Amino acid sequence: GLFIKNELDYDRMHLKSDQLYRVLRSNPISGSRGHSTSSLHGAILAEAFPASTICRFGNDPVKIGETAPLLVEDFFWSDSTFFDLFTFPFLHGDPTTCLNEQNKLVITESLSQQLVGTTNALNQVLKVKVYDGNQELLMKVTGVVKDPPKHSHIQFKALGSMMNAEQLYQSLLQNWYFSWLRTYIYLPNN
């Protein structure tokens, strides 16, 4: 009974889960399929479904901190619509503005505790070293959320503004084959 309940509750904490869909890709020529999409998929979907809300997020392990940087493998660049679609309780910050500009960072309460010794790292400016772009960014903590529950397929420690990723990976954004994003679409009832 408990196993079945756990399975039925999986990802049900998201208030919009009934109208939220993950976009998968399929190549009709090669027959390959996958859960990662390119940056272009989101723009095409937004144009095809103007009443929808699109959210993309992609994994990019980073090191966060100044003196003893912490490797954060569950770091994702995310669109500002992330908290419009996914329900993760906020402890500090504003979910409507936390990722709407460059150099904004949302972290979990456990990562906040590890990095600054408290669960309230709001407004702290942290050094983030990005490996792929070999860049160091100063990012402001604009939100602290509860750690994702185990029965969520979305597991993260930190989310950075997608605007930074678009600048870092500019040359790859128009490439259909650079599939590194999870893309979700919310389709309202109308």
Side-chain angles (χ1 to χ4, degrees):
L2 286 178
F3 175 76
I4 293 170
K5 180 174 176 9
N6 183 57
E7 291 299 302
L8 292 174
D9 285 347
Y10 211 79
D11 285 328
R12 300 304 297 172
M13 73 283 195
H14 303 301
L15 297 178
K16 296 181 178 178
S17 64
D18 288 343
Q19 293 129 301
L20 188 57
Y21 303 92
R22 185 169 183 179
V23 178
L24 304 176
R25 72 172 158 71
S26 175
N27 183 327
I29 297 168
S30 69
S32 69
R33 296 180 192 196
H35 60 83
S36 297
T37 61
S38 76
S39 298
L40 299 168
H41 285 93
I44 299 277
L45 286 168
E47 190 176 307
F49 301 97
S52 69
T53 304
I54 307 294
C55 181
R56 306 162 304 152
F57 55 98
N59 184 241
D60 199 1
V62 298
K63 282 195 173 181
I64 300 177
E66 191 77 39
T67 52
L70 182 67
L71 175 64
V72 180
E73 294 187 57
D74 292 333
F75 176 92
F76 291 83
W77 299 111
S78 178
D79 283 328
S80 63
T81 54
F82 185 87
F83 294 105
D84 294 341
L85 302 188
F86 303 106
T87 309
F88 292 101
F90 262 70
L91 299 174
H92 307 284
D94 182 350
T96 63
T97 61
C98 63
L99 292 170
N100 67 351
E101 296 174 9
Q102 280 191 337
N103 300 318
K104 287 191 169 187
L105 182 67
V106 174
I107 61 177
T108 61
E109 63 181 326
S110 63
L111 184 59
S112 180
Q113 186 70 46
Q114 286 179 285
L115 292 170
V116 299
T118 175
T119 58
N120 187 1
L122 196 64
N123 296 320
Q124 297 266 346
V125 176
L126 302 173
K127 184 187 285 187
V128 177
K129 170 130 174 73
V130 181
Y131 287 102
D132 289 342
N134 197 25
Q135 300 276 330
E136 285 189 358
L137 305 170
L138 293 177
M139 300 185 77
K140 183 178 182 179
V141 177
T142 52
V144 179
V145 297
K146 286 190 158 294
D147 289 31
K150 299 283 186 239
H151 63 280
S152 173
H153 82 283
I154 299 172
Q155 297 293 318
F156 63 93
K157 292 281 186 189
L159 302 172
S161 172
M162 182 62 80
M163 294 176 197
N164 287 94
E166 289 172 342
Q167 186 176 11
L168 288 168
Y169 305 117
Q170 206 171 36
S171 63
L172 299 170
L173 293 181
Q174 299 303 312
N175 184 338
W176 281 102
Y177 298 104
F178 184 56
S179 295
W180 69 289
L181 297 170
R182 298 180 190 182
T183 301
Y184 291 79
I185 183 170
Y186 169 72
L187 297 170
N189 281 330
N190 52 7

